[in-house]
Structures are given as structure tokens and as C-alpha cells.
């Protein structure tokens, strides 16, 4: 079966590769004379859609620089040439055009308006629970638009990579399914999709960003720092994935396909993917939908070796897998300012490893002498959101959302190791024999209600807005083996929260904002029989420790969190901000109960001394924007009295006082109209109090901060008019703070290209151009043994929108 599957993958991949190469070399025959007069009518207010309609009418290839998120088109109607229509459509949008060929047009941000003032796009951010302009927020806040996402998708289909290459505070990912090492400024990341949390606080299943299909995303909002406005989890940053929404009269249909392969063995590593998506509307109804299917084969590292399918022992990887992602959204707007909608996302992922992992080698390797004989790794998750968006005039405008998240995440089987996997679930009636169905499954449910409303208080103060609302949530988790035996305590948690946020412009130069949120959780931890465990000694199974009864209990905890910020617009080019914010996270209780009775871990919930970790963040940020140079910078410090430091090698959780400090910088410079260069740089380091004497006596472990310094540089250029190419490189510095656990440095270069052809875009990307052999710092820090980084890959694809 495996051999047949590999043959089919090679056939699919080779066919896709040949087809795309043929498309990339074809000559477009649909282009028309730009001076031809057309009768045209474009009524959309969305600039991206208007440009697509205009390009289709005149047979133009469009090359877009910048981010079209939030950009508004002017209506166009009449008998016009392409130049006349483009001029009318872009009027007042902040963008301008330039013909670089008979049928190729470059769309670029306008440096100045007609009166010479600098034009800034007004982008709205929703992750703060209000519809706030990004210009009233800290310069460290980043919105990654669809055009930026598509630029990066020329070489990767992993959203984690897109964020890391755009936002300086995001650490290098571990190149696996897990998000356990996805830290931001040394702390946890909260992931939202359309404002709905994807995190599972009672038992962190981690597979979040890696399971989100890029095709369903319209933009990504990243708010650095601790933030409690969306509940538990955002101690380092909030990442909100905004999905696509259709509009009436703006129908589009997209086919996007690519094939990816490692150059070490292209035949055995082909990974084809195909997406079909569409959006639009009919009258008062809007819709958006996408379906993506993909397959992968082997993966290879920079040393030329095949990568183990489960390098992180149970967490799984992207190789030897099949993936299906289905997304749909349907809305109905009965009257102006009111809309009801429902959206759903279905994930089906399965990985079938061929061999186990040998963790005794440096780096870890494929254990070809041990064929994998466990159950596959699986992810079967569904997410449903229904909502009502309203505008009640003076009362306010906002939304009410009901959501239901159902996650089934099955780990792969990991072999016994005396240090890293020293206890295996034994059969109930035979304590020296491993349970063949002992793989772990995290089965979670999360549902609730979220209310957010912006109420204008102009009678009190001009421009004053009160954002208010509340949340009701329910979380439940069952942590079991594939065979259905509890290996962690079943838990349920009910949450209640209310919040209020005031924001106002104080003169035209200052924006002030401040708010408070009160949160209360009721946690119920149930009794369970922690199963017996066994180990191997010289290859012979032996009983390790017997089954033990864990006594559950109830707990309540609450948190009041505050935030305040001031943004000063010194000139049209210079902004600064000073902010204070608080967020909190709860320890992974499920992981801790799994280890009940092991190495001193209590067998009673009442004896477990764990508490919520409240993080306070201070940030000073600034930005400068000129016609050819843009830069942002931030310095910050975050502190908390009870951290969440878990050591996987000793199965211990410790909560001590912590302090993390860091700095971030981004910059872009336009060398010419066709070329710009840029850079991202971040520094982060932290200490904590190991003996609870009040002094920060030790450095935070590597799994919190794998590298103290990261630098990414890139150059983006239009070659020969309409071929856009991007070259980038990322350096991560070594870390030597932890004795005998030095994290090695790495340097990786990438290349991507986009070329308009046949009404679409042909794409090519190369990751790790020089096939560098390096150690993945995030993966190595997470498990405590060396894990190699991925080797050179080539991806070729084609995208066409109709």
C-alpha cells in the first residue's frame, strides 16, 4: 500500500511539475492594447476586487507592491482606456500605477497625495475586540495582508513561516506539527481565528497554526505583548487569523496548485497540493469557501539524511502525510449594518511514519532497523462559528459570536528511551507488557459566546469610544490512550469575563486608550486511575510503577487585567507609543496529572501547587515613514511572579518569578522604483528565581528562549519588468546561558519568484538555497537533544483567479 501510494505521489507530483513548467513558458495571448476603449462598470468598494475586474476586462497582468488590506476603490463607469480606468479606480486609494510593458501594470503605494502630504493606509485591527485603526495603536502591531501572504507562499505553505519572516518577535519554528516551541518574546502565543480562540488551555495540544490552510486567510493581525482581552494564553502575543468574506457582485474563483520536493531525493519527496476556492455574493447573501488537499513523502535535512517522521517523539511531522482542509462561510445581510453569518472549518490530517526515530544519534536520525508499528498520527478537528454583526446607531456597533471547537489529536507512538521516554503505558493485566494501543489522544471541546460592542460617547468627548462586552466559555478535555484508557485527569472549566475599554484622540497628535477585564474560571478535575507503566531493561519488559488512583477536585481562580497606551503622532512621519498591558496563562494541568505519582508529583489535585501566571508588559515603540524609507522599533520588559517552566527530562513544573527584556527593529528602504531592501532584528533574554528568594539568579531555559538574537534580511526586486524576485536570509545566534546545553547558531537563505502569465501567477521558491546543515534551535531546545533543520526544497506552483 505504501509503495502504491508513493508511486501515485510521484506521478501526481511529476505531472504537476511538467504542467506548471509548460504554463510558465507559455506566451499570454489574451492581452489587449492598453489604448483600446472599453465600456466598463466597476461598483465594488474593495480595491483588490476592482483591480481584478479591471485586469480581466483589459487583459492586463498586475504586479502589486504593498498591502491592499483596507484599501478602497473608487467607482468606475464609462467608455475608458485602461489608463483612464486605472486612474479613476485608484483615485484616493493611496495607490498609483505604472505601465511596465504593453500589458503589464505595476500597482504601488503612492508616496504623496496631490497636495504633497504622505499617504498612509488606514488598516483596521479587530483582535483588540474593537475596530481600531492601526494608526492609533503601537507601531509594533503588524497586519500581514493577503498580498504579503501570497508573496511568501511562493516558497512555503506554512503560516508559521509567513509570520516569522514578517514579525521580528516570533521565534524560529521547530518545523513539526507542534506549536510548543512557538514563543513570542519568550512567552506563550494566543491564536485566534476571526476572534475565536484555538488554544486548549486544559491540555495544550499545540497543533494550531500548522493546521490552518493559508488559502482561507485574508489577513493576519499580530499584537505583541501580554493581552487579556481574549482570555487565557496571550502572555507573549495575540495572533488573529482573519478569514475571507465574500461580497455581492465580487465573485471570484481560484485554482492554486504547487508541488514541492527536497533536492536530496526529488523522486521520494514529492509533495503535491491543490486548492480550489471561491467567494462572492448574490443580493443580500455572501459566501466564501475553499478546499485544499495535499500529500507528502519523505523529508531530508541539510546533512543529506532522511528526516525522522517523529523527531520530537509523539509530536509528528509533515512528511509521509495526507491533509484535507475544508473551509466555508455564509452570510446574510437583511438590512444596512446588520449581518448574520456561519462559518466552519474541517481538518483531516494523517501521518503514516515508516520508521521510528533514533534519538541516540547526533542529530536524531531514522531508525531503519525499527519499522513503525503503531497507529497513525491523526488530527480530526471541526470548528463552527455563528454570529450577528450589528449597527444600532448611538447604542453602538459590534458583534455577537457563538462558537464550537471540537478537536481530536492523536499522537504517534514513540519508542522507549531510558532518558527521553522512560515509561510506557502497560497492559491493565500485565504490568511488564507495553499496551499496543497506548498512544495518547487529546480530545477537547470548547464552546461559548463572545460579545463586543463599540459605543460612541461623542457627547462626553469628541471621538471618545467605549468598547465593552463579555465572554462565556466552556472547556472540556479527555486525555486518553487510543484504546480509551484515561492517562490524564478528565477536566472541565467554565469561564466568565466582562471588559471595558476607552479610547479617544486627544487633539490630532495623541491617541489614548485604557481598559480593564475581569475573568473568573471554575475548574473541575475528575478522579481517574492513572494506568500502570512499564520500561525495558536490556530489551526485556519490566514493571516500572503500578496504577494509582488520582483524586480530583475543584478550583476557582480569577484575574483582573489592565492595559493602557498612549500614541503620539509627532509629525506625518514620526509616531511613538508607550504602553502597559497584562495577560495571564494557566499551567498545562493535563500534562501534569499524566505524571501523577512519578518522581514526587502528587496524586491529589489538592496537593498540586499551581496557579495562573499573570504577565505584565511595558513597551516603548516608535516608527518613521518616509517616501523611500520605513522603520519601526520597540523595547520592552515583561515580568511575572509565577512562571510556567516545565522540564520534560525530569517531569517537573516550576513557577517562579521571571523577567524578560528585549528589543525589536524593522526597516525597509526603496533603492529604486523596482527594488527595496529590508531587515528584521530581535533580541530577547530572560532570568528567573530558581530558589524563591526574590533574586533572579538563573537564565530562563532554552525551551523558552532558544536563541537570544535573530536577524532576517531581504531584497525584493522586479526583474525585467514583471518578474518579481525575493531573496532573504535568516541568522539565529547561539545561546550559551545554560551550562552544557549550548544552542548552536544557524544561517539559512531562501529565494522566491512570482511571474504573471496566462492571467495568473507562476511561482517558484527555494528554501535553504545552499542546503546548509544546521541544528534547529527550537526543536533541539524543546526536547533536549539535537534535531537537524530541513534541507533544500524547491516549490513550483501556479495560481489563477477567474
Amino acid at each position: 500500500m505504501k509503495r502504491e501510494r508513493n508511486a501515485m505521489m510521484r506521478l501526481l507530483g511529476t505531472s504537476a511539475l511538467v504542467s506548471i513548467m509548460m504554463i510558465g513558458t507559455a506566451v499570454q495571448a489574451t492581452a489587449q492594447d492598453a489604448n483600446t476603449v472599453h465600456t466598463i462598470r466597476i461598483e465594488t468598494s474593495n480595491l483588490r476586487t476592482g483591480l481584478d475586474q479591471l485586469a480581466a476586462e483589459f487583459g492586463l497582468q498586475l504586479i502589486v507592491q504593498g498591502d491592499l488590506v483596507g484599501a478602497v476603490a473608487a467607482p468606475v463607469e464609462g467608455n475608458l482606456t485602461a489608463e483612464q480606468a486605472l486612474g479613476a479606480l485608484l483615485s484616493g486609494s493611496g495607490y498609483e500605477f505604472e505601465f511596465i510593458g504593453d500589458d503589464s501594470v505595476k500597482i504601488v503605494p503612492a508616496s504623496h497625495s496631490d497636495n504633497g502630504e504622505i499617504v498612509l493606509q488606514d488598516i483596521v485591527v479587530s483582535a483588540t475586540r474593537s475596530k481600531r485603526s492601526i494608526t492609533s495603536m503601537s507601531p509594533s502591531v503588524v497586519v500581514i495582508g493577503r498580498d504579503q501572504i501570497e508573496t511568501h507562499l511562493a516558497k512555503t505553505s506554512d503560516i508559521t513561516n509567513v509570520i516569522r519572516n514578517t514579525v521580528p518577535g516570533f521565534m524560529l519554528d521547530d518545523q513539526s506539527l507542534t506549536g510548543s516551541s512557538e514563543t513570542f518574546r519568550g512567552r506563550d502565543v494566543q491564536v485566534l481565528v476571526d476572534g475565536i480562540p484555538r488554544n486548549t488551555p486544559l491540555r495544550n495540544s499545540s497543533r494550531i497554526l500548522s493546521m490552518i490552510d493559508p488559502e482561507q486567510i485574508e489577513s493576519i493581525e499580530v499584537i505583541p505583548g501580554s493581552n487579556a482581552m481574549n482570555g487565557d494564553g496571550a502572555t507573549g502575543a495575540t495572533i488573529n487569523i482573519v478569514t475571507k468574506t465574500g461580497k455581492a457582485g465580487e465573485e471570484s474563483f481560484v485554482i492554486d496548485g504547487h508541488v514541492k520536493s527536497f533536492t536530496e531525493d526529488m523522486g521520494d519527496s514529492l509533495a503535491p497540493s491543490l486548492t480550489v476556492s471561491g467567494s462572492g455574493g448574490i443580493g443580500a447573501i455572501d459566501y466564501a469557501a475553499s478546499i485544499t488537499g495535499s500529500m507528502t513523502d519523505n523529508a531530508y535535512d541539510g546533512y543529506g539524511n532522511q528526516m525522522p517522521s517523529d523527531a520530537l517523539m509523539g509530536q509528528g511531522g509533515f512528511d509521509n502525510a495526507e491533509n484535507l482542509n475544508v473551509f466555508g462561510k455564509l452570510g446574510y445581510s437583511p438590512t444596512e449594518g446588520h449581518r448574520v453569518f456561519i462559518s466552519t472549518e474541517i481538518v483531516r490530517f494523517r501521518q503514516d511514519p515508516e520508521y521510528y526515530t533514533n534519538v541516540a544519534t547526533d542529530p536524531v536520525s531514522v531508525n531503519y532497523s525499527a519499522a513503525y508499528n503503531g497507529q497513525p498520527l491523526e488530527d480530526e478537528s471541526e470548528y463552527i462559528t455563528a454570529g450577528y454583526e450589528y449597527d444600532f446607531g448611538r447604542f453602538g456597533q459590534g458583534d455577537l459570536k457563538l462558537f464550537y471547537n471540537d478537536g481530536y489529536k492523536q499522537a504517534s507512538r514513540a519508542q522507549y528511551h531510558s532518558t527521553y521516554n522512560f515509561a510506557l503505558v502497560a497492559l491493565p493485566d500485565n504490568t511488564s507488557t507495553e499496551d499496543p494501543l497506548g498512544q495518547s489522544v487529546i480530545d477537547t471541546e470548547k464552546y461559548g459566546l463572545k460579545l463586543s460592542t463599540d459605543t460612541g460617547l461623542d457627547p462626553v468627548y469628541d471621538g471618545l469610544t467605549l468598547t465593552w462586552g463579555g465572554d462565556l466559555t466552556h472547556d472540556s478535555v479527555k486525555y486518553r490512550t487510543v484504546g480509551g484508557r484515561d492517562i490524564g485527569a478528565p477536566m472541565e472549566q467554565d469561564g466568565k469575563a466582562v471588559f471595558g475599554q476607552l479610547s479617544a484622540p486627544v487633539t490630532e497628535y495623541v491617541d489614548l486608550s485604557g481598559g480593564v477585564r475581569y475573568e473568573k474560571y471554575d475548574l473541575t478535575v475528575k478522579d481517574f486511575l492513572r494506568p500502570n507503566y512499564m520500561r525495558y531493561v536490556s530489551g526485556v519488559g519490566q514493571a516500572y510503577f503500578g496504577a494509582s488512583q488520582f483524586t480530583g477536585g475543584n478550583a476557582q481562580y480569577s484575574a483582573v487585567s489592565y492595559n493602557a497606551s498612549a500614541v503620539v503622532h509627532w509629525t506625518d512621519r514620526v509616531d511613538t507609543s508607550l504602553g502597559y498591558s497584562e495577560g495571564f496563562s494557566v499551567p498545562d494541568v493535563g500534562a501534569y496529572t499524566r505524571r501523577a505519582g512519578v518522581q514526587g508529583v502528587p496524586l491529589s489535585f489538592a496537593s498540586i501547587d499551581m496557579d495562573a501566571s499573570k504577565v505584565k508588559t511595558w513597551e516603548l515603540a516608535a516608527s518613521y515613514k518616509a517616501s523611500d524609507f520605513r522603520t519601526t522599533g520597540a523595547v520592552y520588559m515583561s515580568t511575572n511572579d509565577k512562571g510556567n517552566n516545565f522540564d520534560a527530562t525530569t517531569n517537573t513544573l516550576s513557577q517562579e518569578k521571571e523577567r524578560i527584556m528585549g528589543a525589536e527593529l524593522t526597516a525597509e528602504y526603496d533603492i529604486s522604483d523596482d527594488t527595496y531592501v529590508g531587515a528584521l532584528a530581535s533580541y530577547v533574554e530572560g532570568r528567573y528565581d530558581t530558589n524563591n528568594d526574590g533574586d533572579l539568579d538563573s537564565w530562563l531555559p532554552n525551551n523558552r528562549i532558544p536563541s537570544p538574537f535573530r536577524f532576517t534580511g531581504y531584497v525584493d526586486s522586479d526583474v525585467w519588468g514583471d518578474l518579481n524576485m525575493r531573496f532573504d536570509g535568516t541568522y539565529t545566534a547561539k545561546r550559551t546561558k545554560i551550562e552544557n546545553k549550548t544552542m548552536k547558531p544557524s544561517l539559512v537563505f531562501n529565494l522566491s519568484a512570482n511571474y504573471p502569465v496566462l492571467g495568473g501567477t507562476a511561482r517558484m521558491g527555494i528554501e535553504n538555497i545552499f542546503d546548509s546543515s544546521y541544528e534547529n534551535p527550537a526543536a533541539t531546545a524543546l526536547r533536549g537533544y539535537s534535531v537537524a533543520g530541513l534541507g533544500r526544497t524547491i516549490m513550483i506552483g501556479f495560481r489563477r483567479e477567474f
Side-chain angles (χ1 to χ4, degrees):
M1 183 68 181
K2 175 68 175 177
R3 183 176 299 172
E4 293 175 356
R5 176 173 170 267
N6 284 343
M8 181 176 66
M9 288 178 63
R10 282 192 288 271
L11 178 60
L12 284 173
T14 303
S15 300
L17 179 61
V18 171
S19 300
I20 292 167
M21 291 178 68
M22 291 176 63
I23 291 171
T25 56
V27 178
Q28 181 179 358
T30 59
Q32 303 173 35
D33 188 341
N35 294 318
T36 302
V37 174
H38 286 237
T39 300
I40 188 168
R41 182 178 181 180
I42 299 176
E43 297 179 335
T44 178
S45 61
N46 182 284
L47 182 58
R48 181 200 306 279
T49 303
L51 285 170
D52 290 341
Q53 293 179 11
L54 191 149
E57 176 67 29
F58 287 96
L60 299 176
Q61 301 285 349
L62 299 182
I63 303 166
V64 179
Q65 289 186 354
D67 190 348
L68 298 182
V69 172
V72 177
V76 177
E77 184 175 5
N79 298 320
L80 305 171
T81 66
E83 289 193 4
Q84 292 170 333
L86 280 166
L89 186 73
L90 297 175
S91 176
S93 69
Y95 285 83
E96 56 191 14
F97 71 93
E98 175 190 357
F99 273 86
I100 55 177
D102 291 339
D103 55 15
S104 297
V105 181
K106 183 190 298 183
I107 308 296
V108 298
S111 302
H112 297 82
S113 62
D114 294 338
N115 59 10
E117 295 180 350
I118 295 175
V119 176
L120 298 177
Q121 292 298 312
D122 188 18
I123 299 174
V124 175
V125 178
S126 59
T128 58
R129 304 295 294 266
S130 63
K131 303 290 186 180
R132 291 186 61 187
S133 168
I134 196 172
T135 59
S136 67
M137 304 176 69
S138 167
S140 64
V141 175
V142 177
V143 176
I144 308 171
R146 183 65 206 180
D147 297 284
Q148 292 173 284
I149 294 172
E150 289 182 4
T151 296
H152 290 288
L153 291 181
K155 59 179 171 47
T156 180
S157 55
D158 187 357
I159 290 301
T160 305
N161 267 334
V162 176
I163 300 173
R164 177 174 57 85
N165 288 323
T166 311
V167 187
F170 200 52
M171 287 291 102
L172 183 73
D173 67 280
D174 56 33
Q175 298 173 339
S176 75
L177 297 178
T178 182
S180 299
S181 62
E182 291 170 357
T183 60
F184 201 107
R185 295 182 173 181
R187 298 192 182 275
D188 293 337
V189 177
Q190 181 188 51
V191 178
L192 314 172
V193 176
D194 290 330
I196 302 302
R198 286 288 173 93
N199 301 66
T200 53
L202 295 180
R203 181 62 182 101
N204 185 12
S205 56
S206 300
R207 301 179 206 158
I208 303 177
L209 289 173
S210 61
M211 293 288 103
I212 297 177
D213 179 16
E215 190 54 47
Q216 72 188 47
I217 300 175
E218 179 62 30
S219 63
I220 304 172
E221 303 169 349
V222 182
I223 303 178
S226 52
N227 190 317
M229 277 299 160
N230 289 285
D232 167 38
T235 56
T238 301
I239 298 176
N240 184 36
I241 307 293
V242 181
T243 62
K244 294 180 178 179
T245 299
K247 291 186 178 181
E250 301 177 10
E251 286 75 18
S252 70
F253 178 74
V254 177
I255 296 180
D256 191 332
H258 70 255
V259 61
K260 189 173 185 178
S261 181
F262 289 83
T263 58
E264 180 62 32
D265 190 334
M266 300 191 70
D268 281 337
S269 63
L270 285 175
S273 176
L274 179 65
T275 296
V276 178
S277 65
S279 63
I282 303 173
I285 298 176
D286 61 84
Y287 62 88
S290 66
I291 180 169
T292 296
S294 62
M295 304 171 67
T296 61
D297 210 324
N298 295 331
Y300 294 86
D301 61 28
Y303 299 91
N305 301 318
Q306 182 180 337
M307 293 280 291
S309 295
D310 188 25
L312 298 182
M313 298 184 70
Q315 303 299 324
F318 293 103
D319 65 294
N320 293 285
E322 299 172 345
N323 185 35
L324 177 68
N325 188 294
V326 180
F327 164 77
K329 182 188 290 186
L330 182 66
Y332 173 65
S333 303
T335 60
E336 182 72 22
H338 297 268
R339 175 175 176 264
V340 292
F341 69 91
I342 185 169
S343 66
T344 183
E345 181 184 354
I346 300 173
V347 176
R348 293 291 183 268
F349 180 91
R350 173 180 172 133
Q351 183 189 32
D352 289 287
E354 291 186 278
Y355 302 98
Y356 283 104
T357 302
N358 185 352
V359 298
T361 59
D362 186 8
V364 298
S365 59
V366 178
N367 189 353
Y368 291 105
S369 63
Y372 184 81
N373 60 354
Q375 299 294 313
L377 178 145
E378 293 183 338
D379 194 305
E380 297 184 359
S381 302
E382 296 89 29
Y383 308 94
I384 301 174
T385 301
Y388 170 45
E389 299 170 350
Y390 52 82
D391 185 348
F392 290 115
R394 296 181 63 180
F395 174 79
Q397 58 182 6
D399 57 61
L400 175 67
K401 296 176 180 176
L402 303 174
F403 67 92
Y404 175 77
N405 299 346
D406 183 11
Y408 178 91
K409 300 179 184 294
Q410 178 173 304
S412 60
R413 181 180 182 272
Q415 278 189 310
Y416 174 84
H417 189 277
S418 59
T419 301
Y420 303 109
N421 196 32
F422 58 85
L424 304 176
V425 178
L427 289 171
D429 54 356
N430 189 336
T431 58
S432 62
T433 302
E434 181 183 354
D435 186 346
L437 299 178
Q439 293 168 231
S440 64
V441 173
I442 301 176
D443 194 350
T444 63
E445 282 188 323
K446 186 182 186 77
Y447 56 82
L449 175 151
K450 299 188 72 172
L451 172 68
S452 304
T453 303
D454 290 331
T455 300
L457 302 177
D458 289 335
V460 179
Y461 184 87
D462 189 26
L464 180 65
T465 301
L466 170 65
T467 301
W468 57 274
D471 301 337
L472 294 174
T473 59
H474 176 83
D475 287 272
S476 66
V477 62
K478 297 175 182 177
Y479 190 24
R480 296 176 170 175
T481 66
V482 173
R485 301 166 61 193
D486 287 329
I487 54 177
M491 293 176 288
E492 294 185 354
Q493 179 174 272
D494 292 301
K496 309 175 186 67
V498 293
F499 69 91
Q501 185 87 12
L502 284 171
S503 58
V506 181
T507 76
E508 60 181 310
Y509 301 105
V510 180
D511 288 301
L512 297 179
S513 179
V516 60
R517 177 183 173 102
Y518 171 74
E519 196 120 16
K520 181 181 178 181
Y521 287 111
D522 295 296
L523 173 65
T524 300
V525 180
K526 299 180 181 180
D527 299 344
F528 85 105
L529 180 66
R530 197 262 297 134
N532 46 5
Y533 285 85
M534 55 83 63
R535 62 178 176 177
Y536 289 100
V537 177
S538 300
V540 179
Q542 294 185 357
Y544 190 30
F545 48 86
S548 297
Q549 182 67 45
F550 178 87
T551 303
N554 298 289
Q556 290 185 346
Y557 49 95
S558 59
V560 179
S561 304
Y562 302 92
N563 70 85
S565 67
V567 180
V568 181
H569 312 287
W570 298 98
T571 69
D572 290 335
R573 299 184 176 186
V574 179
D575 290 342
T576 61
S577 72
L578 178 63
Y580 170 80
S581 60
E582 297 178 348
F584 70 99
S585 65
V586 179
D588 193 340
V589 182
Y592 208 52
T593 61
R594 178 181 186 178
R595 297 167 175 85
V598 182
Q599 297 186 0
V601 180
L603 278 165
S604 170
F605 177 72
S607 302
I608 298 178
D609 184 20
M610 292 189 296
D611 201 356
S613 176
K614 188 173 185 178
V615 176
K616 304 174 181 179
T617 301
W618 293 261
E619 182 195 75
L620 176 64
S623 66
Y624 174 81
K625 297 181 179 68
S627 60
D628 58 357
F629 179 68
R630 301 161 295 278
T631 183
T632 63
V635 293
Y636 62 87
M637 178 176 71
S638 63
T639 64
N640 56 312
D641 292 330
K642 292 188 175 183
N644 294 328
N645 293 302
F646 180 74
D647 188 339
T649 60
T650 60
N651 295 315
T652 56
L653 171 75
S654 59
Q655 293 192 291
E656 298 94 359
K657 180 179 179 181
E658 299 177 345
R659 182 185 67 208
I660 296 177
M661 301 177 69
E664 297 164 359
L665 180 69
T666 69
E668 280 190 350
Y669 175 67
D670 298 330
I671 298 176
S672 67
D673 291 340
D674 300 321
T675 303
Y676 64 94
V677 296
L680 310 173
S682 64
Y683 171 81
V684 58
E685 197 53 89
R687 295 179 66 85
Y688 71 122
D689 177 15
T690 56
N691 53 14
N692 292 313
D693 64 354
D695 294 328
L696 302 173
D697 54 83
S698 298
W699 298 100
L700 282 173
N702 289 332
N703 60 1
R704 291 284 299 280
I705 302 178
S707 172
F709 177 73
R710 181 169 68 89
F711 177 85
T712 297
Y714 56 90
V715 55
D716 192 295
S717 181
D718 293 324
V719 183
W720 304 314
D722 49 8
L723 172 62
N724 178 259
M725 300 191 69
R726 182 184 179 94
F727 176 78
D728 66 77
T730 296
Y731 168 76
T732 58
K734 68 177 180 180
R735 189 170 191 247
T736 59
K737 299 300 185 181
I738 309 302
E739 186 176 359
N740 298 324
K741 294 183 180 180
T742 296
M743 301 301 300
K744 299 176 183 178
S746 65
L747 178 62
V748 178
F749 295 97
N750 311 293
L751 177 69
S752 61
N754 291 275
Y755 181 73
V757 63
L758 289 179
T761 302
R763 303 181 303 193
M764 187 273 290
I766 305 175
E767 289 188 289
N768 194 359
I769 296 173
F770 302 112
D771 207 15
S772 301
S773 56
Y774 67 98
E775 185 177 83
N776 184 302
T780 299
L782 180 64
R783 280 303 193 201
Y785 48 71
S786 177
V787 180
L790 294 176
R792 180 171 53 228
T793 63
I794 295 179
M795 188 166 82
I796 300 176
F798 180 74
R799 176 185 178 88
R800 174 71 190 270
E801 183 171 353
F802 300 90

